[in-house]
Amino acid sequence: MRNIKPITDPSRPKVYIETYGCQMNVNDSEVILSILQDAGYALTENIEQADVILANTCSIRDNAEQRIWGRIDQFKIQKKKRKGVIIGIVGCMAERLKDELLKAVDIVAGPDSYRSMPELLKAVAPESPQIDVLLSHEETYADISPVRLDKNGISAFISIMRGCNNVCSYCIVPYTRGRERSRDAHTIVREAQELWENGYKEVTLLGQNVDSYQWEGIDFADLLEMVAAVNPELRVRFSTSHPKDISDKVIYTMARHANICRHIHLPVQSGSSVMLEKMRRKYDREWYLERVDKIRSVMPDCGITTDVIAGFSGETEQDHQDTLSLMEKVVFDSAFMFAYSERPGTLASKKYPDDIPYETKTARLNEIIALQGRMSLKSNEKEIGKVMKVLVEGPSKKNPDELCGRAGSNKMCVFPSRGEKPGDYCEVEVVSVTSATLLCRRID
Ligand code: SAH
Ligand code: SF4
Ligand code: F3S
């Protein structure tokens, strides 16, 4: 069995990695660590001991990048304290800013350049920073076994594809991650098997648009089926589904397999068809609502979560009201909600002025957040009396005599402990709820 845990051997040079952004970045950090461990490095969680300090970065909104600039200043303090410390910025911000970052750090590497990290580290010298930001049409890191960085050893990410071919007008991802490409299906199944053998109980298949997965005639529904077959006790999740692409085949495949979790993250972005058109999402309000109806007609208990952007270019009060009314109609279980942040180089930045005043954006975002709070509570109240199979994550934060874990729908459950460990399954019944948690009793 391959070692998928970090090496902490003190005789090796030490790498410290901070990860920002989405789940794909979390998994990319695991790929980077795997490549660096093979090249003789070990992991440290203590920045004060690091020989190499890496930040795996995100460019999705301006505030994500501002945070990194702040961190770079702090990394430089380490460099002053200890000669020879190398600072690397990798990931989406490295890809977007390229040379501009070279003034501040020693290594700049984009999402398709991780295999060259050992050479970049070798070549770096005081007056000679190193950069590799080439994007690839083929790279999927299919043969690399990520070194797992999660703490409890029960749930892991598997990237099934990279890049994105949807040019949503507001989004920087296609520029930072390049063209979409799908990974060899057999390596995905092998990785799921390897995780199962290492005691993992849940895998999440990751892609910017999982429904467009396509590898040698295997589509996403086929892939789901293959991963679900690894073991009936291995839970399978996935993210993200694009409303324009989620197929009936995927929905029916989920319904056929008890171990494919009943949860779909289906980012709507806006409830206004006018905004959706400008966002180039390639669906409208009616299409989205039809997909939700379809999912619920096949799997009435399926959790549906979403992403919403407030204050996109030209958004009128009516467009905003359309978003609120859609949220009320669908009753999402939860949502990630953002104020629109213009990203340089995107279609929207060239075509549509970022013309919604900060105050209006913030006021709309706050309305959206407040409404979602009420909807989360409403959605949770519907669960009272239902029985759920929960995968234990660990003790509840508030009470050590209780455990917490997620139901298939991805809702957080809290319930009395009988000494179970992370990774055990428990059967519970929902007794009462808050907007964030289902409070349950044991029935097993
Ligand atoms: N591939 C996924 C989204 C990945 S980005 C999809 O298509 O659904 C995650 C979320 O960030 C998006 O769903 C969107 O809500 C938000 N986002 C992306 N670009 C943004 C921007 N410029 N400003 C604000 N939010 C943005
Ligand atoms: Fe961005 Fe759209 Fe691709 Fe999602 S589908 S990553 S929002 S371009
Ligand atoms: Fe951010 Fe890149 Fe993910 S921009 S959201 S880290 S794909």
Side-chain angles (χ1 to χ4, degrees):
M1 201 158 63
R2 287 181 71 149
N3 181 23
I4 60 168
K5 288 282 162 215
I7 295 173
T8 48
D9 178 352
S11 67
R12 291 177 167 218
K14 290 176 213 54
V15 190
Y16 168 90
I17 310 183
E18 271 179 20
T19 308
Y20 297 83
C22 61
Q23 296 171 328
M24 296 202 85
N25 251 18
V26 174
N27 191 224
D28 278 3
S29 289
E30 299 180 322
V31 166
I32 295 169
L33 186 59
S34 177
I35 292 168
L36 292 182
Q37 280 193 181
D38 282 351
Y41 291 83
L43 179 71
T44 176
E45 289 180 359
N46 183 352
I47 193 168
E48 306 276 342
Q49 290 174 2
D51 301 292
V52 180
I53 299 174
L54 298 179
N56 189 4
T57 59
C58 174
S59 288
I60 200 83
R61 284 166 290 275
D62 183 55
N63 57 11
E65 290 195 354
Q66 293 313 322
R67 267 175 80 193
I68 305 293
W69 284 113
R71 281 306 282 160
I72 292 175
D73 291 339
Q74 284 164 326
F75 294 163
K76 284 185 173 158
I77 298 174
Q78 296 297 321
K79 216 177 159 78
K80 282 212 186 94
K81 281 197 212 160
R82 282 168 296 131
K83 272 216 153 51
V85 169
I86 298 169
I87 302 176
I89 296 296
V90 304
C92 290
M93 193 172 159
E95 192 62 48
R96 194 179 87 73
L97 294 176
K98 300 185 172 62
D99 293 349
E100 200 179 323
L101 277 165
L102 271 189
K103 288 173 240 151
V105 300
D106 307 301
I107 287 181
V108 175
D112 289 343
S113 309
Y114 299 146
R115 284 183 205 268
S116 64
M117 288 293 291
E119 286 98 85
L120 297 176
L121 281 163
K122 239 183 247 158
V124 79
E127 294 308 315
S128 169
Q130 299 291 314
I131 181 165
D132 185 349
V133 287
L134 278 181
L135 285 173
S136 155
H137 285 191
E138 287 93 34
E139 180 62 271
T140 58
Y141 301 112
D143 56 317
I144 291 174
S145 238
V147 171
R148 299 295 167 181
L149 287 165
D150 61 284
K151 287 277 171 264
N152 62 14
I154 61 162
S155 185
F157 296 127
I158 303 181
S159 296
I160 61 165
M161 57 210 292
R162 301 184 69 83
C164 183
N165 282 358
N166 296 306
V167 195
C168 299
S169 62
Y170 51 83
C171 184
I172 196 73
V173 171
Y175 306 90
T176 62
R177 295 249 162 193
R179 302 294 294 167
E180 180 185 286
R181 65 220 96 121
S182 296
R183 174 178 166 189
D184 178 334
H186 304 302
T187 69
I188 296 169
V189 173
R190 214 178 300 140
E191 191 171 320
Q193 181 74 41
E194 181 179 86
L195 285 161
W196 171 256
E197 285 162 8
N198 275 277
Y200 281 78
K201 293 290 175 59
E202 183 173 87
V203 295
T204 304
L205 309 182
L206 298 178
Q208 292 300 349
N209 178 3
V210 289
D211 301 283
S212 62
Y213 178 87
Q214 190 61 244
W215 185 82
E216 296 197 351
I218 295 170
D219 66 14
F220 181 59
D222 303 330
L223 179 71
L224 264 181
E225 192 131 46
M226 288 161 72
V227 177
V230 165
N231 194 292
E233 293 289 296
L234 180 71
R235 273 184 169 188
V236 184
R237 296 186 181 278
F238 56 89
S239 186
T240 303
S241 302
H242 196 301
K244 80 174 162 63
D245 293 321
I246 184 162
S247 66
D248 290 355
K249 187 175 170 191
V250 165
I251 298 169
Y252 288 118
T253 303
M254 289 174 75
R256 271 205 312 279
H257 293 271
N259 61 330
I260 303 180
C261 289
R262 268 104 180 100
H263 171 223
I264 300 179
H265 186 60
L266 198 66
V268 67
Q269 314 302 0
S270 170
S272 154
S273 293
V274 180
M275 284 295 107
L276 290 169
E277 167 83 35
K278 281 179 85 175
M279 289 173 163
R280 292 183 36 128
R281 289 290 285 178
K282 309 267 176 70
Y283 56 86
D284 60 11
R285 179 186 173 95
E286 284 63 43
W287 172 275
Y288 187 90
L289 291 172
E290 187 282 326
R291 288 288 79 192
V292 169
D293 285 347
K294 179 73 197 187
I295 294 164
R296 288 187 172 153
S297 72
V298 179
M299 295 176 289
D301 57 344
C302 188
I304 302 182
T305 57
T306 203
D307 295 348
V308 180
I309 299 178
F312 184 58
S313 313
E315 186 185 71
T316 63
E317 182 55 31
Q318 183 56 50
D319 294 321
H320 170 59
Q321 290 301 326
D322 287 351
T323 296
L324 296 176
S325 77
L326 181 135
M327 291 171 69
E328 261 183 285
K329 214 174 183 136
V330 175
V331 192
F332 293 108
D333 298 323
S334 68
F336 296 109
M337 298 155 284
F338 313 103
Y340 172 55
S341 165
E342 188 181 85
R343 308 311 292 128
T346 56
L347 222 69
S349 76
K350 293 175 194 155
K351 250 176 109 175
Y352 309 121
D354 181 14
D355 56 0
I356 306 300
Y358 174 79
E359 295 71 31
T360 313
K361 265 187 203 169
T362 315
R364 287 180 184 168
L365 178 62
N366 287 339
E367 255 186 276
I368 288 170
I369 291 171
L371 174 61
Q372 184 52 44
R374 297 197 293 280
M375 294 300 109
S376 296
L377 182 63
K378 191 169 165 183
S379 142
N380 285 352
E381 279 167 352
K382 282 201 202 127
E383 310 284 18
I384 294 175
K386 287 191 193 158
V387 169
M388 327 231 146
K389 187 175 174 188
V390 179
L391 180 61
V392 175
E393 286 181 12
S396 127
K397 284 191 192 87
K398 288 189 188 141
N399 180 351
D401 296 331
E402 295 192 321
L403 296 172
C404 69
R406 289 183 190 276
S409 64
N410 211 33
K411 288 184 177 179
M412 184 52 87
C413 300
V414 172
F415 47 94
S417 169
R418 291 200 200 118
E420 285 87 353
K421 305 252 162 334
D424 289 343
Y425 286 107
C426 295
E427 292 255 331
V428 302
E429 183 191 325
V430 182
V431 178
S432 65
V433 301
T434 69
S435 64
T437 314
L438 309 180
L439 308 166
C440 309
R441 70 182 182 91
R442 302 290 296 252
I443 54 161
D444 47 3

